[in-house]
Amino acid sequence: MALRIVITGSGDAFSSQHYGSSAVVLGPRGHVLIDCPDPIHRAVREAREKSGLALDVPSILDVIITHLHGDHVNGLEAFGFTHWLMRRHEPARPRPRVHAAPPVMERLWQRLAPAMDQGGSATLEEYFEPRLLDPLKPSRIADLDVDCRQTTHMIPTFGLRLRDGQSSIGWSSDTGFEQAHVDWLDECGVIVHETSPPPFHTPVSDLLAQPDRVRRKIRLIHAPDDFDAASCPLPLLREGDVVEAR
């Protein structure tokens, strides 16, 4: 079966209708969450109900954080506490693994500590097993090869390529338009690419200007609430949509 992802959030940071852009990857050896918006339990539940696939937060043991903006990471507190509380009753239960590139990982605990440090006694490792993504070589996550590449955003942000050996999906993450990034993602069979106003995001006009061969791969995400999907030839993903790799 081809690699699949289930969209758990499709909105931008200012959406009043959608969760922050995120997805669950159905990996060969477990589910992998790409980014973690708030409220993550509700986002995952609604994606489960719409897709008909078995998804819940306790079953997810790998999380990739692309960057530290709130619409991509605010749910990590609830996610971490959920697994922490479960381990108090099941001591043998593993910590979830949080994967991020070095510039993201080095500031992740600064983001979480005010709500999770338990008066200064707890660290990131109390809740998660941190694992670094290396931009120079693939990382192995749930039997997937995962590449990362820094994007052109206002803080360190990393796009992803996920491969299962037979099919692949590219995830742009938040990024201003960069042709080199599109070319990097073009090595995948399907591209999930953000669109929002520039300069820190990609206008849809730049994606429509790609060759037809590339346009056929692109699925949009992170669009503003007023985005005119009906008049756009590129498909816009919504919560619960299932994307199958090629």
Side-chain angles (χ1 to χ4, degrees):
M1 180 180 291
L3 180 64
R4 294 181 296 168
I5 66 172
V6 184
I7 302 301
T8 47
S10 63
D12 65 4
F14 311 105
S15 178
S16 63
Q17 302 174 25
H18 302 281
Y19 304 120
S21 293
S22 54
V24 175
V25 185
L26 308 182
R29 295 192 63 185
H31 296 163
V32 182
L33 184 62
I34 300 177
D35 285 336
C36 192
D38 196 36
I40 189 59
H41 288 275
R42 183 172 179 178
V44 171
R45 175 182 60 78
E46 291 183 7
R48 177 182 71 238
E49 293 171 350
K50 292 175 182 177
S51 68
L53 296 169
L55 304 172
D56 63 11
V57 167
S59 71
I60 300 171
L61 289 174
D62 288 282
V63 185
I64 301 173
I65 299 299
T66 65
H67 67 296
L68 295 179
H69 277 155
D71 54 321
H72 296 265
V73 78
N74 277 350
L76 203 55
E77 176 188 332
F79 184 99
F81 272 130
T82 295
H83 284 269
W84 181 77
L85 288 168
M86 293 181 72
R87 287 199 312 282
R88 297 187 72 176
H89 299 286
E90 305 171 53
R93 182 180 176 85
R95 290 172 296 161
R97 296 167 288 271
V98 60
H99 308 263
V104 179
M105 187 71 79
E106 69 184 20
R107 300 187 71 182
L108 179 59
W109 185 238
Q110 293 178 39
R111 191 79 161 75
L112 296 174
M116 301 183 77
D117 71 359
Q118 302 181 39
S121 64
T123 65
L124 181 65
E125 288 77 7
E126 177 80 14
Y127 303 94
F128 299 99
E129 180 183 334
R131 294 197 177 181
L132 289 175
L133 299 178
D134 186 344
L136 300 179
K137 63 182 181 181
S139 299
R140 195 72 171 167
I141 304 174
D143 257 6
L144 296 170
D145 285 324
V146 180
D147 296 299
C148 70
R149 180 184 187 276
Q150 188 157 359
T151 75
T152 57
H153 199 40
M154 60 174 61
I155 62 172
T157 304
F158 290 80
L160 306 170
R161 295 188 307 205
L162 305 105
R163 310 170 189 268
D164 66 357
Q166 298 180 333
S167 54
S168 56
I169 293 178
W171 185 273
S172 74
S173 302
D174 285 18
T175 183
F177 176 70
E178 182 191 3
Q179 186 61 51
H181 196 54
V182 176
D183 294 343
W184 183 78
L185 295 166
D186 184 31
E187 294 187 18
C188 297
V190 175
I191 301 170
V192 179
H193 205 294
E194 69 110 90
T195 185
S196 277
F200 299 114
H201 296 281
T202 299
V204 73
S205 58
D206 286 316
L207 300 176
L208 290 171
Q210 297 299 308
D212 183 62
R213 176 189 61 79
V214 178
R215 286 200 309 270
R216 287 196 298 268
K217 297 182 180 184
I218 294 175
R219 310 290 184 268
L220 298 177
I221 203 167
H222 198 280
D225 286 348
D226 61 358
F227 183 79
D228 186 3
S231 67
C232 180
L234 299 176
L236 178 64
L237 296 171
R238 288 306 186 198
E239 287 83 354
D241 286 348
V242 180
V243 180
E244 188 167 303
R246 299 174 185 170

